[in-house]
Amino acid sequence: MSSPQPPSIEFWFDLSSIYSYLSVMRIEDAALRAGVAVAWRPFMLGPIFDALGWDAPPFVVQKEKGAYVWQDMQRQCRRYGLPWRQPTVFPRRAVLPARIAVLGEGEPWQPAWCREIMRLNYGEDRDVDTPEVATEILDRLGLPARAILDAAVSDENRQRLRAATQTARERGVFGAPTFFVGKDMYWGNDRLDDALEAAASKA
Amino acid sequence: MSSPQPPSIEFWFDLSSIYSYLSVMRIEDAALRAGVAVAWRPFMLGPIFDALGWDAPPFVVQKEKGAYVWQDMQRQCRRYGLPWRQPTVFPRRAVLPARIAVLGEGEPWQPAWCREIMRLNYGEDRDVDTPEVATEILDRLGLPARAILDAAVSDENRQRLRAATQTARERGVFGAPTFFVGKDMYWGNDRLDDALEAAASKA
């Protein structure tokens, strides 16, 4: 008889995705309350949108929906007590942040790194795709910035991010954030609590 | 000094729209609990999708999202205690039901009519766009089926539905259900409770 698995969910997110911001900021507390472990799975939504035949995020392609999203995000951030400043650039490139996030899989600093990037992008309207910003954050987290940056842009790590994106695609991910409880997919920050509840009840 | 307005929201929905099903079924109880009056505003999403340059609902155009929606709806219906049978035809035409719904604006039977259509469409997988089904429902509701059907297909009433759709478009509606609290838009069944809360707090 195998020992019981602790309840867990997979959290697939993109550091430039707007609704991923909400989940990145709140998932750790919510999961803790639910007694569920979280596997953070950074990936790139851009290549998936490309494969779906979209030139850009739906919020950019669909003007009416795009206009709405800014209102919705302002209200959602108020609801969750998160900082919000409407980004002057959207979508904002976050490739280096994604590479560092992938490098941090399983490391205790991975969630903190992701929260810092999101806070700068959506709370302070800052460009987050530069080595300078990465260094600033890594320094603040007490991490070896130079070594992490070098490892993040290595061929091996670039390939790791591509592989994560490919896995997301194969599993039918079409947006972010997306949660998996076993094989069951939950799409969108609005489903985070349902996903945690499902994970907890399966344990 | 004018007398205080009771809190209210506008509820824009399409009787063939899948997520409108959830809101049509639950809005009356939820609004009652929140102390908010609901103005039901049926319209047709099809012409709006046409105007946005889409050939079909996003769930049909985007295969991956479409596959997900059936899982999500099954879970959402379980959550809200609603019947669910995956429709064999999607989207299912509901033009006559929409005409009757528009005719019923302000009538006490309008919400009940909409719930019956939705229950047959998404709970029992039935074609709802026929005079026979309309007659069956209207009879059950104790209403004069012949007179209502005649009025529903009159030029004047067809025009009323077109005007409602045009109004929705001018107000920036891009999906259904959509709620308005004054000028503030809330999109999707997931925002119904937020919209009711906002309406109640404005009173």
Side-chain angles (χ1 to χ4, degrees), chain B residues 135-163:
Chain B
T135 301
E136 174 192 322
I137 296 174
L138 294 168
D139 282 351
R140 194 157 59 223
L141 296 176
L143 297 164
R146 189 68 263 153
I148 286 178
L149 277 168
D150 286 348
V153 298
S154 68
D155 283 348
E156 184 195 346
N157 191 62
R158 285 167 193 251
Q159 181 48 34
R160 201 176 289 158
L161 179 56
R162 278 193 291 268

Side-chain angles (χ1 to χ4, degrees), chain B:
Chain B
M1 202 175 130
S2 61
S3 61
Q5 290 285 317
S8 67
I9 66 168
E10 286 175 59
F11 170 35
W12 290 82
F13 61 98
D14 176 324
L15 287 171
S16 71
S17 139
I18 190 162
Y19 285 99
S20 291
Y21 171 47
L22 302 174
S23 291
V24 161
M25 300 307 273
R26 74 191 193 88
I27 195 171
E28 214 161 57
D29 289 356
L32 202 64
R33 279 195 302 273
V36 171
V38 180
W40 292 59
R41 297 276 181 260
F43 75 107
M44 299 286 287
L45 204 44
I48 289 186
F49 285 160
D50 286 347
L52 293 171
W54 305 342
D55 297 332
F59 307 141
V60 173
V61 176
Q62 302 157 16
K63 190 167 54 75
E64 288 78 3
K65 195 180 275 190
Y68 168 75
V69 162
W70 302 129
Q71 301 171 40
D72 188 51
M73 280 299 294
Q74 185 170 34
R75 291 191 298 239
Q76 291 282 297
C77 287
R78 198 183 311 138
R79 172 182 173 170
Y80 292 121
L82 296 174
W84 170 251
R85 188 179 297 175
Q86 184 173 324
T88 47
V89 178
F90 183 79
R92 180 167 269 146
R93 258 178 74 95
V95 179
L96 179 58
R99 288 184 176 140
I100 295 178
V102 150
L103 184 74
E105 263 190 37
E107 302 287 338
W109 53 264
Q110 191 199 33
W113 165 259
C114 296
R115 283 191 295 269
E116 283 294 287
I117 289 294
M118 285 302 208
R119 193 177 56 77
L120 292 186
N121 189 355
Y122 289 111
E124 301 190 3
D125 189 24
R126 285 183 61 187
D127 181 4
V128 292
D129 203 31
T130 72
E132 291 72 25
V133 167
T135 301
E136 174 192 322
I137 296 174
L138 294 168
D139 282 351
R140 194 157 59 223
L141 296 176
L143 297 164
R146 189 68 263 153
I148 286 178
L149 277 168
D150 286 348
V153 298
S154 68
D155 283 348
E156 184 195 346
N157 191 62
R158 285 167 193 251
Q159 181 48 34
R160 201 176 289 158
L161 179 56
R162 278 193 291 268
T165 299
Q166 181 58 24
T167 300
R169 201 179 145 189
E170 284 162 6
R171 292 182 66 179
V173 169
F174 56 84
T178 293
F179 312 97
F180 283 97
V181 179
K183 283 179 180 172
D184 294 339
M185 184 196 285
Y186 294 79
W187 170 53
N189 176 69
D190 291 327
R191 294 290 177 273
L192 170 54
D193 299 302
D194 288 351
L196 289 171
E197 201 179 298
S201 74
K202 273 197 179 179

Side-chain angles (χ1 to χ4, degrees), chain A residues 75-174:
Chain A
R75 290 191 298 240
Q76 292 282 297
C77 288
R78 198 182 313 139
R79 172 182 173 171
Y80 293 120
L82 296 174
W84 169 250
R85 188 180 296 176
Q86 184 173 323
T88 47
V89 177
F90 183 80
R92 181 167 268 145
R93 259 177 74 95
V95 178
L96 178 59
R99 288 184 178 140
I100 295 177
V102 150
L103 183 75
E105 265 191 35
E107 301 288 337
W109 53 264
Q110 190 198 34
W113 164 258
C114 296
R115 283 192 295 268
E116 283 295 287
I117 288 294
M118 285 302 208
R119 193 177 57 76
L120 292 186
N121 189 355
Y122 289 111
E124 302 189 4
D125 189 25
R126 284 184 62 187
D127 181 4
V128 292
D129 203 32
T130 72
E132 291 74 24
V133 167
T135 302
E136 175 192 322
I137 296 174
L138 293 168
D139 282 351
R140 195 156 59 224
L141 296 176
L143 296 165
R146 189 68 264 155
I148 286 179
L149 277 168
D150 286 347
V153 298
S154 69
D155 283 348
E156 184 196 347
N157 192 62
R158 286 166 194 252
Q159 180 49 35
R160 202 177 288 158
L161 179 56
R162 278 193 291 269
T165 299
Q166 181 58 26
T167 300
R169 201 179 145 189
E170 284 163 6
R171 294 181 65 178
V173 169
F174 56 86

